[in-house]
């Protein structure tokens, strides 16, 4: 994926564990691909919650804070990309507040689509906000909810929110976990010795040596205390709406997502793409790394040899971008380098996971030709992205999406390639084995929930 598409974030929580902060930050390393703008953790020792966060990667968080000075038996962690709320330290999570039930911290993955209306209502009532994050609105709603205890207040508050959320809270002695009724975003439960662990992806459990138990169900609410774990259903929807883009791009292939192997589903999409969009080519290459698994599936089903034709540089930041040159072209050339010995005099099938704007794929196609490729055929392991997402993905506005105004033939001409083929919506859903349980609104415009009054996809703040 070359068009700067981002997922909102990743969350992790550990309760009743040893070296909690160290394990949380280790888990955040595994989830780093879900957010690179900020990272943070909150930990409780039973008396007080302390929060530390920083802009940038998890490594920056560890450089700025000595984790060995934090004692605690429970904590939560967060890595963030901003979809709602500006990219500032104030919006970094976890967010900690004090209210009538004492201290409470939250880490949130998703996008609350009626946040703007609720915020306007609260501001009219005199509420004061310190961030532009929809997660802070959630905390305000909890604080003003009439309930017998904090757990009941959280359950009542989250029923007022539309959109997507995987939420992990800690008070001084309890962890609460909630997942929206559609199950948009993945969230799983594990045991690590005597400790309970929740995380956005199971790859975090692998790193920690935790044993995966199950997915936290859509509409499920967990209360975890020293006495154990209590589960209940706080909301029931008439369907599930798992984000199918988790398989296409966001999740790591070594994670179990929505109770299925991401690697296996992604390979199936590549094989299905080969059936639907065959090509007469000499080699198959991927745009690394997110498309590699699908490209392997495409090569296997088509019988065309898979080769590594593009080498990715994983260590490029923004430091070397020269604003006097073509910034996007510099980014692509810094990030990828074609291998001439593989590409020269070859008809090349390039498998990519998706196209958003298509401008950087155009640059990449030219680089392949300059390296000696005779023909360039693009195959996309997903349908055309023609509609914005409002449930936690940082899609551009509809007008910026190439497929919203151009046909595949027109996009192929814009890219300067011999052919372009997409996976069908039906074929994509078939690869999951339970297509009716997935949200594919960015492809088919079928939104399962309220998308909010502000659909411009601009950031707040």
């Amino acid at each position: 994926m070359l068009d700067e598409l981002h997922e909102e974030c990743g969350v992790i929580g550990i309760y009743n564990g040893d070296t909690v902060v160290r394990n949380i930050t280790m888990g955040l390393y595994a989830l780093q691909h879900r957010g690179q703008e900020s990272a943070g953790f909150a930990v409780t020792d039973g008396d007080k919650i302390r929060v530390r966060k920083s802009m940038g990667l998890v490594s920056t968080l560890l450089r700025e804070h000595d984790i060995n000075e934090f004692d605690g038996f429970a904590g939560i962690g967060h890595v963030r990309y901003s979809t709602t709320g500006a990219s500032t330290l104030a919006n970094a999570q976890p967010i900690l507040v004090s209210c009538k039930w004492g201290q409470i911290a939250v880490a949130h993955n998703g996008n609350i689509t009626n946040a703007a209306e609720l915020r306007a209502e609260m501001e009219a009532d005199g509420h004061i906000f310190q961030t532009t994050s929809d997660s802070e609105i959630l905390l305000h709603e909890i604080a003003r909810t009439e309930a017998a205890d904090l757990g009941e207040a959280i359950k009542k508050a989250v029923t007022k929110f539309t959109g997507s959320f995987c939420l992990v809270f800690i008070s001084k002695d309890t962890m609460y976990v909630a997942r929206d009724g559609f199950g948009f975003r993945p969230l799983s439960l594990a045991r690590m010795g005597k400790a309970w662990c929740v995380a956005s992806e199971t790859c975090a459990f692998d790193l920690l040596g935790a044993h995966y138990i199950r997915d936290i169900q859509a509409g499920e609410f967990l209360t975890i205390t020293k006495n154990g774990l209590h589960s209940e259903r706080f909301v029931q929807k008439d369907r599930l709406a798992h984000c199918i883009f988790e398989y296409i791009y966001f999740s790591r292939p070594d994670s179990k997502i929505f109770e299925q192997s991401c690697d296996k589903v992604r390979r199936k999409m590549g094989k299905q793409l080969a059936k639907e969009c065959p090509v007469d080519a000499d080699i198959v290459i991927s745009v690394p790394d997110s498309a590699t698994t699908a490209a392997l599936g495409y090569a296997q089903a088509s019988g065309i040899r898979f080769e590594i034709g593009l080498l990715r540089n994983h260590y490029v930041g923004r430091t070397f971008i020269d604003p006097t040159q073509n910034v996007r072209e510099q980014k692509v050339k810094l990030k990828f380098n074609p291998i001439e010995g593989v590409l020269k005099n070859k008809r090349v099938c390039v498998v990519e996971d998706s196209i958003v704007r298509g401008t950087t794929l155009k640059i990449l196609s030219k680089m392949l030709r300059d390296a000696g490729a005779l023909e360039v055929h693009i195959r996309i392991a997903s349908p055309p992205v023609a509609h914005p997402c409002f449930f936690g993905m940082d899609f551009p506005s509809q007008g910026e999406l190439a497929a919203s105004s151009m046909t595949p033939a027109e996009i192929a001409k814009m890219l300067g390639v011999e052919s372009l083929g997409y996976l069908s919506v039906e074929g994509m859903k078939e690869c999951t084995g339970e297509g009716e349980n997935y949200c594919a609104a960015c492809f088919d415009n079928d939104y399962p929930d309220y998308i909010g009054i502000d659909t411009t996809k601009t950031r707040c703040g």
Side-chain angles (χ1 to χ4, degrees), residues 113-126:
T113 56
N114 64 340
E117 297 98 305
L118 290 169
R119 181 176 180 128
E121 174 191 319
M122 292 175 186
E123 288 177 336
D125 288 340

Side-chain angles (χ1 to χ4, degrees), residues 76-276:
I76 59 178
H78 190 270
V79 287
R80 181 176 191 261
Y81 270 123
S82 60
T83 60
T84 300
S87 179
T88 65
L89 186 60
N91 285 329
Q93 294 189 29
I95 298 176
L96 174 66
V97 297
S98 294
C99 62
K100 56 190 174 186
W101 289 289
Q103 286 185 305
I104 179 173
V106 64
H108 170 211
N109 177 26
N111 196 47
I112 296 171
T113 56
N114 64 340
E117 297 98 305
L118 290 169
R119 181 176 180 128
E121 174 191 319
M122 292 175 186
E123 288 177 336
D125 288 340
H127 289 243
I128 298 173
F129 292 86
Q130 295 184 344
T131 77
T132 57
S133 168
D134 54 355
S135 307
E136 187 185 9
I137 299 168
L138 171 65
L139 290 171
H140 278 258
E141 188 63 47
I142 293 169
R144 71 177 185 173
T145 297
E146 294 294 329
D149 55 45
L150 177 57
E152 288 299 316
I154 295 173
K155 281 186 288 185
K156 285 185 178 181
V158 296
T159 59
K160 297 181 181 180
F161 286 82
T162 58
S164 62
F165 55 82
C166 288
L167 297 160
V168 186
F169 301 87
I170 55 166
S171 66
K172 67 178 184 179
D173 56 10
T174 306
M175 179 176 290
Y176 304 96
V177 183
R179 189 178 179 202
D180 69 77
F182 290 100
F184 282 107
R185 300 285 144 213
L187 191 64
S188 299
L189 178 69
R191 288 304 300 264
M192 187 170 57
K194 63 181 180 179
W196 293 99
C197 185
V198 299
S200 294
E201 291 188 37
T202 61
C203 62
F205 302 152
D206 297 337
L207 184 61
L208 296 173
H211 175 66
Y212 168 80
I213 298 175
R214 62 176 176 85
D215 276 15
I216 293 167
Q217 299 303 303
E220 186 176 6
F221 185 81
L222 299 181
T223 303
I224 307 175
T225 68
K226 289 290 182 68
N227 296 324
L229 180 149
H230 173 72
S231 170
E232 57 188 299
R233 183 66 64 89
F234 71 91
V235 66
Q236 181 81 47
K237 301 293 186 180
D238 59 2
R239 61 161 294 189
L240 293 174
H242 303 320
C243 174
I244 206 163
F245 235 100
E246 292 284 350
Y247 289 133
I248 294 167
Y249 173 68
F250 292 129
S251 297
R252 276 182 24 173
D254 55 333
S255 286
K256 183 177 287 188
I257 298 297
F258 308 129
E259 300 183 338
Q260 295 195 73
S261 164
C262 182
D263 174 82
K264 288 184 178 179
V265 174
R266 203 168 281 175
R267 282 176 189 263
K268 287 180 182 178
M269 290 178 175
K271 292 177 181 179
Q272 183 66 25
L273 177 63
K275 294 177 183 178
E276 295 183 3

